[in-house]
Amino acid sequence: MQHATGAAPAATEVAPRVDSARRQRTRERLMDAAYELFAAQGVHATPIEAIAEAAGFTRGAFYSNFESKTELFFALAEREWRARLDHLRTTFERLLPGEALEGDRLDPEVVTRLVAEIFDSLPDDRLWHLVHAEFELLAMRDPEVAPRFLASTEAVQRELAALLDVTVRSLGLRFVMDPADLTRLVVEQHDAALRDAILSDAEDRSGAARATVMRSLPLLLTRLTEPLDP
Amino acid sequence: MQHATGAAPAATEVAPRVDSARRQRTRERLMDAAYELFAAQGVHATPIEAIAEAAGFTRGAFYSNFESKTELFFALAEREWRARLDHLRTTFERLLPGEALEGDRLDPEVVTRLVAEIFDSLPDDRLWHLVHAEFELLAMRDPEVAPRFLASTEAVQRELAALLDVTVRSLGLRFVMDPADLTRLVVEQHDAALRDAILSDAEDRSGAARATVMRSLPLLLTRLTEPLDP
């Protein structure tokens, strides 16, 4: 995020905040327009002019908000990831039972119910999956973008890993492997399930992806956790 | 694979075989040229004319061998997957120890050594990963191609699952989940590790991917297997 707050003159104390709010709205509109175009015709195929026009701005307005299409993508990804992480956190808080153990292990039925409810409340992620997969490919082919893409992916996975770790610890359990590695497993499994649901053109995509994940995730989580104090 | 063997006249019993061998060489050369171009500039950005020219053939020769770029991709994928599956099978046969158990569980050290040797002998897969990822994206956006891409991916994973299943059974073990689901986990984990190694521009990509997989795969396999006859 690159708000140019440092550039505000010291004498006007209210104006910068108004500017900043308007600026944020402009950025949001540009991101919304870009997201639609990226999803419909692809990231590579979408020129900056088309994004500015679809959002109702000039090319100059685009550049006063984002240095490049890549900068806009990273801001968009930050926004999308933030929304999903927040959603996951509140879903965990809302659903987490006081008792999720069966003996000294995570109860597979509780895990199954949690995963089902999380999937039901998530948005259909087909468009984001397409946009993200294309940008990942562009990043792999562009040494300038690659390290930043990897760093931002890892930052999100670290945050998700911390959330999962806190959650199982609150149940008196811990993961038998580094939570970061387990998180990778879960994320990749989810992404692969979504990809297959997209490829199979399932009418109920979210349901199809959920069914795929369900075949292994509960078992995986119960096998890869152990009591915190044995 | 679409050899037009059915069209051979019954009277000439030798000629069709020669034709077929020449035809196969032509197809191989077209696939080699396409692979290089797909890797260098992308699947979408490579016109059929460029493939034919790079292989030293006419556009007409391309079309007498492949109906489309998509048909060529599927033949190329079949070839690449076949090579990797064969490699894996012979590596398993060569390396599989008579004794891989520690008590009644898979010995993590044996798994670690096996995975290390398999990675060491695999080719650097950066180019194939890029080509495959782009085609996967194109398939997700093309309802004509999507079901076939999914079916061919699933066929390969079934074959790999059968190989993994036979391998653990030969050690007196079985997977605690459907081998197909476990195979998906392992494949996704490998692909994600390779993607991160590409993004991080690791000098020793294969080594970097191996290190990532090693952090969780041995533990995963030991936790997800159990004695065949308890």
Side-chain angles (χ1 to χ4, degrees), chain A residues 38-40 42 126 129-130 133-134 136-137 139-141 146-147 149-150 176-177 181 184-185 188-189 192-193 195-196 198-200 212 215-216 219-220 223-224 226, chain B residues 38-40 42 126 129-130 133-134 136-137 139-141 146-147 149-150 176-177 181 184-185 188-189 192-193 195-196 198-200 212 215-216 219-220 223-224 226:
Chain A
F38 289 171
R126 175 176 177 270
H129 187 84
L130 290 176
E134 184 185 350
E136 180 176 293
L137 184 64
M140 281 193 289
R141 285 185 175 276
F149 182 84
L150 182 61
V176 299
M177 61 169 69
D181 293 323
R184 283 171 62 97
L185 270 177
E188 294 310 327
Q189 202 190 0
R195 176 201 64 207
D196 289 0
I198 294 171
L199 287 169
S200 68
T212 307
R215 287 206 310 267
S216 51
L219 188 64
L220 195 66
R223 290 267 170 170
L224 297 180
E226 63 187 9
Chain B
F38 289 171
R126 176 177 176 270
H129 187 84
L130 289 176
E134 184 184 351
E136 180 176 293
L137 184 64
M140 281 193 288
R141 285 186 175 276
F149 182 83
L150 182 61
V176 298
M177 61 169 71
D181 293 323
R184 283 171 62 96
L185 271 177
E188 295 309 327
Q189 201 189 3
R195 176 201 63 206
D196 289 0
I198 294 170
L199 286 168
S200 70
T212 306
R215 287 208 308 269
S216 51
L219 188 65
L220 196 66
R223 289 267 169 169
L224 297 179
E226 63 188 8

